[in-house]
Amino acid sequence: MPDTPDAAAVAQKLHLATHSTEQPSEPPSVKDENGSTDSTEEIAAPLQFDDKVLGTVTNNDIKKQIHLEPVPPMLHGTSVPPSSKSAVTVAMLPPNHMPRAAAGSPRLIIIGDVHGQLKELKALLQKAEYSAERGDHMIFTGDMINKGPDSAGVVALAMEMGASGVRGNHEDKVLLAHAQEAVDESESESTPKNPKREEAETSKGGNAALATARSLSSEQLKWLGELPVVLRLGKIADQTSGEWVVVHAGLVPGVPLEDQDPTAVMNMRTLRFPGREQARQEVRQDLEDAAGAKQKKNGVARNDIDIAVPTEARDGLPWSEAWNKAQKALKHKKERVSVVYGHDAKTGLNIRPYSFGLDSSCVRGGQLSALVFESGRSMIGRHVVKHRIVSTDCEKAA
């Protein structure tokens, strides 16, 4: 009797079939500072969850709405992304920073994408009534730097206030640019440098990440490099869900935090569910064996196991929509996880029951927004922890 195929192996087979081209080639790889090699195939690893999690959303629904092209791997700009080993994947916020249901409890202020807008950051903190004396704590959802006028000033303020945060795709790009410059310099020590030429190349805009890296001190770069990709907050008193987490871009439902792909967490906007007939034909038999005779829905065998591929594109299902459906499908509220994130400026402020999108496009002249947890009073007069959105207007960066 043949062995039942491993679900991960089936998923990988579907992924490879979906990503195939007319002339397959070896995926490019990159060596990190420790000499280890990572393949770009690893950053778009397929992830599996079922129709029950997604409610009524199936592959057939997606195909009716979207013309699916082969899903490209999520590249880090035009470069292969750095090894996930170079980033802290998951960290826990110290419990003393969590707000309590008590008079005078410190506030927890989670701030959306600042992008170097120091003036607006200071205005937002004032509007949110930030108080160092009370012990208020700030958390940044990533993309503190780049695009705006004062990346170094934003990082300096965050460090001075003892803030926490997560690594965004712009922090990642800056750290990669800094690391690459160090490698280039070590390889060309004998080559004469031309400072004027370097400055001209940087000012063209094609190397904004390197320009930002050069504006930051070594201590600031080190601080950014130590930010985790996922920051777990734990349970916040009086909130309906269980755990709260902060990420920059998003999460894939049904995948443990420790197993989320770091590059996807920093870059995703939507989830794609490749349902191309060619791919399904190649794995149909494997899927039937894996699903088994018991996995039937309305009398039809569920051969269409949904494989979720996170992507930066916008032509898939918004990850936050899939996330909220997945949380609502969980029977016990204490198992539900709420996510606070940034990254999606085009969508803007996006508040759902179990996801809180805070990028309200400050750098483009929109607003800078924060989610503030603070002690308050319930309708019957007892102390509880409440949350509210605070926003301030921004000037468009030059």
Side-chain angles (χ1 to χ4, degrees):
M1 185 174 181
D3 294 335
T4 301
D6 178 76
V10 173
Q12 182 65 11
K13 186 173 181 181
L14 177 56
H15 173 69
L16 293 176
T18 306
H19 286 68
S20 63
T21 58
E22 294 184 1
Q23 295 182 340
S25 60
E26 290 294 326
S29 61
V30 61
K31 289 187 177 181
D32 64 15
E33 61 270 23
N34 297 318
S36 62
T37 302
D38 280 359
S39 167
T40 55
E41 284 297 327
E42 296 175 351
I43 66 173
L47 300 160
Q48 176 182 329
F49 51 102
D50 58 28
D51 290 341
K52 185 176 181 181
V53 171
L54 285 177
T56 60
V57 179
T58 65
N59 275 347
N60 288 331
D61 294 325
I62 297 294
K63 286 192 293 182
K64 289 176 185 177
Q65 301 174 29
I66 303 166
H67 175 66
L68 286 179
E69 298 294 339
V71 181
M74 285 204 306
L75 297 182
H76 189 97
T78 57
S79 306
V80 178
S83 167
S84 60
K85 300 181 185 67
S86 67
V88 178
T89 305
V90 181
M92 189 80 189
L93 184 73
N96 61 297
H97 293 316
M98 297 292 283
R100 304 184 306 276
S105 171
R107 288 186 173 94
L108 184 64
I109 304 173
I110 308 177
I111 302 170
D113 300 33
V114 179
H115 280 300
Q117 302 281 79
L118 180 60
K119 182 178 72 172
E120 286 79 359
L121 174 58
K122 290 180 177 179
L124 179 64
L125 292 176
Q126 184 175 6
K127 191 171 183 179
E129 300 176 88
Y130 169 85
S131 171
E133 291 74 19
R134 185 173 49 225
D136 294 352
H137 188 69
M138 293 188 300
I139 300 175
F140 291 89
T141 61
D143 282 8
M144 301 165 61
I145 58 177
N146 261 5
K147 297 185 178 182
D150 197 354
S151 292
V154 170
V155 177
L157 181 61
M159 293 175 65
E160 178 185 339
M161 293 182 166
S164 302
V166 294
R167 183 186 291 206
N169 59 305
H170 279 273
E171 282 83 14
D172 206 38
K173 289 177 182 178
V174 167
L175 291 166
L176 178 60
H178 173 69
Q180 186 59 53
E181 183 179 44
V183 171
D184 292 344
E185 288 181 350
S186 66
E187 292 178 350
S188 60
E189 289 181 351
S190 60
T191 304
K193 293 183 175 62
N194 187 335
K196 291 185 178 180
R197 179 180 177 182
E198 288 183 356
E199 183 179 352
E201 290 176 348
T202 300
S203 66
K204 292 178 182 178
N207 214 351
L210 181 56
T212 299
R214 289 173 176 173
S215 75
L216 301 174
S217 69
S218 58
E219 291 79 11
Q220 291 173 334
L221 288 165
K222 182 176 183 295
W223 185 81
L224 290 175
E226 292 173 349
L227 295 177
V229 176
V230 178
L231 182 63
R232 305 179 74 155
L233 308 185
K235 188 180 187 309
I236 297 178
D238 301 310
Q239 302 300 306
T240 56
S241 73
E243 184 176 14
W244 286 73
V245 301
V246 178
V247 299
H248 177 59
L251 293 170
V252 177
V255 179
L257 295 178
E258 293 77 8
D259 295 334
Q260 296 276 342
D261 181 87
T263 301
V265 173
M266 292 184 284
N267 291 274
M268 76 169 73
R269 291 190 178 91
T270 64
L271 302 176
R272 296 279 295 272
F273 304 91
R276 296 189 309 163
E277 189 61 32
Q278 175 186 354
R280 295 213 316 272
Q281 289 175 357
E282 292 178 2
V283 298
R284 184 176 298 278
Q285 188 60 52
D286 286 344
L287 292 175
E288 289 175 354
D289 294 341
K294 294 182 180 180
Q295 293 194 9
K296 293 186 177 182
K297 187 176 183 181
N298 298 325
V300 179
R302 291 177 55 212
N303 299 328
D304 257 348
I305 294 179
D306 287 301
I307 306 298
V309 180
T311 174
E312 297 179 74
R314 297 182 182 276
D315 57 354
L317 178 72
W319 76 268
S320 59
E321 184 176 333
W323 184 267
N324 277 269
K325 287 182 178 180
Q327 303 314 302
K328 291 175 183 178
L330 296 174
K331 183 177 180 180
H332 301 292
K333 287 187 176 181
K334 66 180 181 180
E335 298 176 351
R336 299 175 184 177
V337 178
S338 297
V339 184
V340 187
Y341 66 100
H343 187 59
D344 196 353
K346 187 173 182 179
T347 300
L349 201 63
N350 188 15
I351 308 303
R352 295 172 178 262
Y354 299 101
S355 62
F356 296 76
L358 299 181
D359 187 354
S360 43
S361 199
C362 179
V363 76
R364 297 177 183 174
Q367 292 187 315
L368 183 61
S369 299
L371 178 64
V372 180
F373 291 92
E374 59 194 351
S375 177
R377 293 277 189 176
S378 69
M379 293 183 65
I380 60 174
R382 72 182 184 91
H383 283 288
V384 294
V385 174
K386 297 183 175 182
H387 63 266
R388 60 189 172 103
I389 298 293
V390 178
S391 301
T392 188
D393 293 336
C394 300
E395 292 183 11
K396 184 177 181 180

